[in-house]
Amino acid sequence: MSTADLLADLNDAQREAVLHIDGPLLILAGPGSGKTRVVTHRIAHLLEQGIHASQILALTFTNKAADEMRTRVATLAPGARVWLGTFHRFGVRMLRKYGELVGLAPNFTIYDTSDSKQTIKRVIESQRIETAKFTAERIAAAISAAKNKLITAEAYQPKSGSPLSEVVAKVYPAYQQRLLQSAAVDFDDLLLHVASLLHENPEVRAQLDEQFKYVLVDEYQDTNRAQYVILRALSHDYPNLAATGDPDQSIYGWRGADLNNILEFERDYPQVKVVRLEENYRSTQRILRIADDLIAHNKKRKQKSLWTKNPEGPPVKLITYADQDEEARDIARQIRESIDAGSRRANEYAVFYRMNALSRAVERAMREAQVPYQMVRGQEFYQRKEIKDVLSYCQLLNNPLDDIACERAINTPSRGIGERTLERLGAHAYEYRVALLDAAREALQIEGLAKRTATKVAGFVATIDAIAKYQAESVEEVIGAVLSESGYRDVLAASDDEEDQNRLANIEELLTDARQFDERYEGHAPLEDYLERTWLVNDIDGWETDSDKVTLMTLHAAKGLEFPVVFLVALEDGILPHERSAQSPDELEEERRLAFVGITRAKQELQLSLTQRRDFRGQRRISIPSSFLMELPRHEMDQVRVTSDELTFDPMEFDGGADDDISFDFGDEPAKPQAAPIKEVAVAVTTAAALAEKTTGYMGPAISPDEFTLHMTVVHAELGPGKIVALSGSGKNRRATIQFPVAGQKRYVLAHAPLRPANR
DNA sequence: TCATGACTAACTGTT
DNA sequence: TTAGTCATGA
């Protein structure tokens, strides 16, 4: 494609970015500003200019983003073999080639979060490390955070006064050593090892820097320290680093993303050319204004004005529902009706939520309304127990040092090899510094292991050896061998548990998946490459863009996507913003960015919703509206209260109030004693005042007027929670202006108003 | 010593 | 709601 063609239909800023060739480039791209377009057109332009495809490296965070770019580049520049992929995949590729420089065998295993947690547990057990009641999870998180900051096990220093860091200082080196012994890496290592090998091997660094003369990074605002260092190392001699990103869409701080990387890009690369893409081609003016107003409350950002030539659009809706079922049903109903009316198709809709746990009610409502939907959930398939079970055999074949795989496989299906036996084997392995599988091979010689048990272990080893014969065959054959030799399939087939039948079906799906992989595979290590795929793919990759279904996903997964109509549910305090972010202003800003990302996915219509009460962890809680709602321009929005008063006030209506079959256990099965908590609910919702009384979990004790402070969140007996935005007078005359998320601003004499501070 | 079933505590987001 | 832990019987 010619340069002229590549520039057609681009605005000035986009054109400027596309035409940039040498030297650092920073593209600050607001949502919907055609960023992917610019990046892909720029790649095509580089190729057009005679730059060889092998000199271009494009890094993304998700496979989906990489795939999309690949498709688009293929259209613009057919046949060009540009290396396009995720950071982690790039890490794998580097480590397969240069891993020995950091002591890693090329057939290494990648441990997911649960594997690495398991490894940490084992390390703590076998080395009897005193963990001062910190859970493996806490320790794992701390190690991960250190790795993201590029602090190696050797360099880790405990902070004085931090008991956790004292523990980490002991566990981290032991864990890292165990990983290397097992020829395994965790997700963070994929970046950390690469960063250190580039640092420690200047000649390799120089060689790669030269090889990848043009490096492009997407979502630069989400890079962590390790990624930052890798990028710097690859663009030292050839500083043609092009970063695209938007500080307002940084939502991975918890994974070590450092917003400063993008905020200080200009300091790092003084010669940088900065291009701002501010014209939005996606959303209506109304949606954009709401997004803009919200994000304006953040302090840590680069000023950026979003604008669009798009039409004004309908008002954004803000709806309060009685509970999550009402919320979900109403959304399903709206979708159902417009599909039936022929005005929209299912795939034009998306429902976003803060946490996966919130999807349940929505899913059920979609099913009931017979609305086709697809739920995008991180890692689902390959994370299932039965799939991990089967794959653990494959992992063990590929890497016999992989103790976690061995531990998993050794007693699945159940062979009578239990905790104690495993402990003995583990102790033996630790003592002689051999892999668990090797310890198992010597089972008969291990002291303290009963003959009978040792025989069982030997049986397992024989199984592994039998399967190993298939190792060089296609992946489907390997998995087939695992299923028959291990007896896993027979055990499941013989079971009359419905769950097991389900598992069997999933395993058949795995075989199909493997077959499809085999059919398309061109390479020389199918098993290893297949495993790599199972470790690094994300479920969003399985997201079908063109199927006609409503999309259900978390806000995190939604980044980079767009939909004509978006529903954002559960705008409630503790959910969005999430309760775990309440203490830190930085984290609160990240939550706000998350909301911003959700809002800016919408092209034409947007509905925000919240509920008055929500079932959570089996408990019913009264909701406090999200503080973010107070930051939105209310006059721009259509506020609706579908709280159906009759439903709230009349317990009888409550039972069958909505148009279809709400059923509660207590109605159908009077014999069961668990009806009690529901009864309480029926009382609780009798009146709004009573409801407020019942919110004592959220309401602090009554306090005197002078104890109310500015910005305090308070709960009003009828209007619910609100925030104090102004205060005057004192004692009996002390008055407060309170901003309620839904009811707006109200002024009260504190001595007489039914107000209490929220209990937080 | 293992498997099984009951009980309990926790549970954000993702490569 | 479920994963993980604990107690109990085989």
Side-chain angles (χ1 to χ4, degrees):
Chain A
M1 197 175 270
S2 74
T3 302
D5 288 338
L6 287 172
L7 295 180
D9 302 325
L10 294 181
N11 66 34
D12 290 349
Q14 293 176 330
R15 203 166 287 185
E16 204 182 338
V18 169
L19 289 175
H20 180 91
I21 298 175
D22 289 306
L25 171 68
L26 174 63
I27 303 172
L28 288 169
S33 60
K35 178 196 62 180
T36 309
R37 220 170 136 181
V38 167
V39 173
T40 50
H41 281 239
R42 178 162 179 268
I43 292 175
H45 181 246
L46 290 175
L47 294 167
E48 222 312 277
Q49 295 297 303
I51 290 159
H52 199 269
S54 66
Q55 297 185 318
I56 302 174
L57 172 68
L59 295 170
T60 63
F61 278 80
T62 62
N63 291 304
K64 192 189 160 292
D67 288 344
E68 184 176 350
M69 282 200 193
R70 195 171 295 120
T71 314
R72 294 224 218 165
V73 170
T75 327
L76 298 170
R81 295 176 67 95
V82 174
W83 204 93
L84 244 155
T86 65
F87 263 104
H88 289 83
R89 218 174 255 278
F90 176 72
V92 173
R93 193 180 150 199
M94 291 298 109
L95 291 178
R96 292 248 190 264
K97 203 163 169 191
Y98 303 105
E100 258 130 19
L101 295 173
V102 288
L104 202 60
N107 62 329
F108 59 83
T109 302
I110 302 169
Y111 282 173
D112 67 19
T113 318
S114 72
D115 295 333
S116 95
K117 206 170 78 189
Q118 190 70 9
T119 309
I120 287 173
K121 274 190 192 159
R122 291 290 173 254
V123 166
I124 291 168
E125 275 168 22
S126 66
Q127 310 203 11
R128 308 217 157 77
I129 298 173
E130 182 45 59
T131 56
K133 80 187 186 304
F134 288 111
T135 61
E137 204 162 346
R138 281 289 296 284
I139 299 169
I143 292 176
S144 173
K147 286 185 173 184
N148 286 327
K149 281 191 224 140
L150 225 54
I151 303 168
T152 60
E154 299 81 51
Y156 189 91
Q157 291 295 328
K159 287 189 285 281
S160 63
S162 162
L164 175 60
S165 77
E166 306 274 350
V167 174
V168 172
K170 282 181 276 181
V171 178
Y172 186 5
Y175 166 65
Q176 205 58 20
Q177 196 195 357
R178 174 69 68 96
L179 284 178
L180 284 176
Q181 271 172 14
S182 305
V185 297
D186 60 25
F187 282 131
D188 305 314
D189 283 341
L190 290 176
L191 305 173
L192 178 63
H193 281 321
V194 173
S196 11
L197 85 83
L198 289 172
H199 181 69
E200 284 156 21
N201 301 275
E203 69 295 345
V204 175
R205 189 210 63 74
Q207 186 197 325
L208 291 170
D209 191 349
E210 182 167 9
Q211 183 185 338
F212 300 118
K213 287 203 177 83
Y214 295 87
V215 180
L216 295 91
V217 207
D218 195 21
E219 311 280 11
Y220 190 68
Q221 76 281 355
D222 286 331
T223 50
N224 61 29
R225 184 80 201 159
Q227 287 160 326
Y228 171 83
V229 165
I230 292 171
L231 290 171
R232 290 227 77 174
L234 293 177
S235 36
H236 182 268
D237 308 327
Y238 298 88
N240 308 317
L241 175 64
T244 60
D246 177 4
D248 292 335
Q249 294 184 62
S250 166
I251 54 176
Y252 286 104
W254 51 275
R255 214 171 67 187
D258 188 352
L259 203 41
N260 292 322
N261 289 350
I262 192 164
L263 295 177
E264 291 169 12
F265 193 88
E266 291 164 78
R267 192 205 61 195
D268 292 335
Y269 298 90
Q271 308 301 316
V272 68
K273 178 184 194 85
V274 180
V275 176
R276 287 165 192 270
L277 303 181
E278 294 178 320
E279 177 169 4
N280 177 297
Y281 295 96
R282 179 186 295 155
S283 309
T284 65
Q285 304 210 9
R286 277 201 161 106
I287 291 169
L288 215 53
R289 280 203 296 272
I290 289 203
D292 210 31
D293 271 20
L294 176 70
I295 204 67
H297 285 79
N298 270 9
K299 296 205 168 60
K300 268 200 161 181
R301 60 191 297 249
K302 264 185 193 289
Q303 202 51 48
K304 181 163 43 58
S305 50
L306 296 175
W307 60 278
T308 182
K309 291 179 197 148
N310 285 343
E312 180 78 357
V316 169
K317 285 191 276 182
L318 171 60
I319 307 195
T320 308
Y321 294 103
D323 60 27
Q324 60 201 342
D325 289 325
E326 282 250 319
E327 181 181 50
R329 281 203 197 96
D330 187 58
I331 290 170
R333 179 193 57 79
Q334 291 184 48
I335 297 175
R336 177 81 263 164
E337 284 175 5
S338 58
I339 293 174
D340 290 347
S343 53
R344 289 207 186 270
R345 297 168 60 96
N347 63 4
E348 294 180 78
Y349 293 94
V351 182
F352 301 150
Y353 33 81
R354 175 65 236 266
M355 312 173 268
N356 282 310
L358 298 172
S359 70
R360 200 174 297 275
V362 182
E363 261 192 291
R364 189 172 51 219
M366 294 291 164
R367 274 199 305 271
E368 281 170 7
Q370 300 191 359
V371 174
Y373 69 92
Q374 58 177 331
M375 195 169 67
V376 177
R377 218 169 167 183
Q379 298 261 319
E380 251 318 66
F381 186 71
Y382 295 113
Q383 292 284 64
R384 292 195 175 148
K385 184 188 174 300
E386 60 275 21
I387 303 300
K388 286 198 83 167
D389 285 345
V390 174
L391 290 176
S392 67
Y393 282 88
C394 301
Q395 278 180 225
L396 196 52
L397 292 192
N398 185 56
N399 172 13
L401 300 178
D402 184 347
D403 287 359
I404 294 292
C406 183
E407 193 182 303
R408 190 172 192 111
I410 201 164
N411 199 35
T412 8
S414 169
R415 298 189 173 88
I417 302 171
E419 196 94 1
R420 300 284 297 160
T421 310
L422 209 54
E423 218 171 84
R424 296 249 160 84
L425 289 175
H428 182 87
Y430 182 64
E431 191 180 343
Y432 294 95
R433 307 205 152 255
V434 296
L436 204 55
L437 182 60
D438 289 323
R441 286 187 192 283
E442 296 158 14
L444 288 162
Q445 282 94 60
I446 296 177
E447 247 179 280
L449 210 60
K451 190 91 183 255
R452 224 169 56 120
T453 319
T455 315
K456 290 176 189 162
V457 175
F460 166 70
V461 173
T463 306
I464 291 295
D465 290 342
I467 301 168
K469 296 198 183 89
Y470 297 86
Q471 192 171 356
E473 307 297 324
S474 70
V475 180
E476 188 189 4
E477 280 176 85
V478 177
I479 295 179
V482 169
L483 292 176
S484 47
E485 295 289 333
S486 71
Y488 201 85
R489 181 189 264 140
D490 292 344
V491 170
L492 289 182
S495 159
D496 41 318
D497 186 352
E498 198 183 329
E499 184 68 40
D500 285 339
Q501 295 311 309
N502 233 328
R503 296 208 165 112
L504 203 55
N506 285 329
I507 283 171
E508 296 303 334
E509 205 179 322
L510 182 68
L511 276 169
T512 308
D513 182 63
R515 188 181 318 123
Q516 285 169 355
F517 175 85
D518 288 330
E519 279 162 10
R520 271 175 292 166
Y521 186 72
E522 312 159 7
H524 55 278
L527 187 60
E528 184 167 289
D529 287 348
Y530 181 73
L531 287 172
E532 181 183 317
R533 208 177 66 111
T534 67
W535 295 323
L536 295 180
V537 295
N538 181 285
D539 253 25
I540 190 151
D541 306 331
W543 180 64
E544 307 155 49
T545 320
D546 39 7
S547 72
D548 194 11
K549 292 171 182 167
V550 175
T551 298
L552 273 49
M553 55 169 64
T554 63
L555 286 165
H556 282 89
K559 191 159 69 160
L561 305 176
E562 58 178 28
F563 298 88
V565 187
V566 165
F567 294 91
L568 179 46
V569 303
L571 276 152
E572 292 151 29
D573 192 63
I575 294 179
L576 183 67
H578 193 271
E579 57 189 342
R580 303 250 279 238
S581 65
Q583 306 81 359
S584 136
D586 279 358
E587 284 179 42
L588 189 69
E589 291 211 346
E590 181 154 313
E591 295 289 309
R592 195 177 278 114
R593 290 193 290 269
L594 205 44
F596 175 79
V597 166
I599 291 170
T600 52
R601 299 309 96 195
K603 293 164 88 166
Q604 297 151 16
E605 294 174 43
L606 173 65
Q607 172 181 317
L608 309 175
S609 63
L610 63 154
T611 63
Q612 293 185 313
R613 57 174 180 277
R614 184 172 294 275
D615 290 337
F616 209 59
R617 297 180 198 171
Q619 295 251 305
R620 182 155 290 182
R621 294 164 74 182
I622 303 300
S623 312
I624 296 181
S626 167
S627 55
F628 295 157
L629 291 174
M630 303 182 203
E631 301 168 357
L632 301 179
R634 219 168 313 281
H635 56 277
E636 297 259 12
M637 303 162 72
D638 239 9
Q639 281 183 67
V640 188
R641 239 187 142 125
V642 184
T643 54
S644 50
D645 279 353
E646 64 278 16
L647 201 137
T648 311
F649 287 92
D650 186 345
M652 296 322 288
E653 276 299 312
F654 186 54
D655 189 44
D659 26 84
D660 45 46
D661 55 308
I662 323 174
S663 70
F664 291 98
D665 303 349
F666 72 94
D668 307 325
E669 294 162 40
K672 289 206 174 165
Q674 75 235 62
I678 307 285
K679 251 189 215 154
E680 193 185 309
V681 164
V683 175
V685 298
T686 304
T687 67
L691 188 142
E693 274 305 307
K694 278 285 163 191
T695 62
T696 40
Y698 268 110
M699 283 171 89
I703 57 174
S704 78
D706 290 325
E707 288 175 275
F708 286 92
T709 56
L710 201 58
H711 306 310
M712 181 185 259
T713 303
V714 295
V715 183
H716 184 276
E718 277 165 45
L719 298 174
K723 203 172 189 176
I724 300 184
V725 293
L727 277 169
S728 65
S730 62
K732 277 184 187 166
N733 294 321
R734 194 163 168 85
R735 289 157 204 266
T737 308
I738 296 169
Q739 176 74 55
F740 292 97
V742 179
Q745 284 195 0
K746 305 261 175 185
R747 199 143 182 268
Y748 295 98
V749 178
L750 287 169
H752 307 301
L755 285 164
R756 285 183 180 195
N759 187 11
R760 323 192 79 208

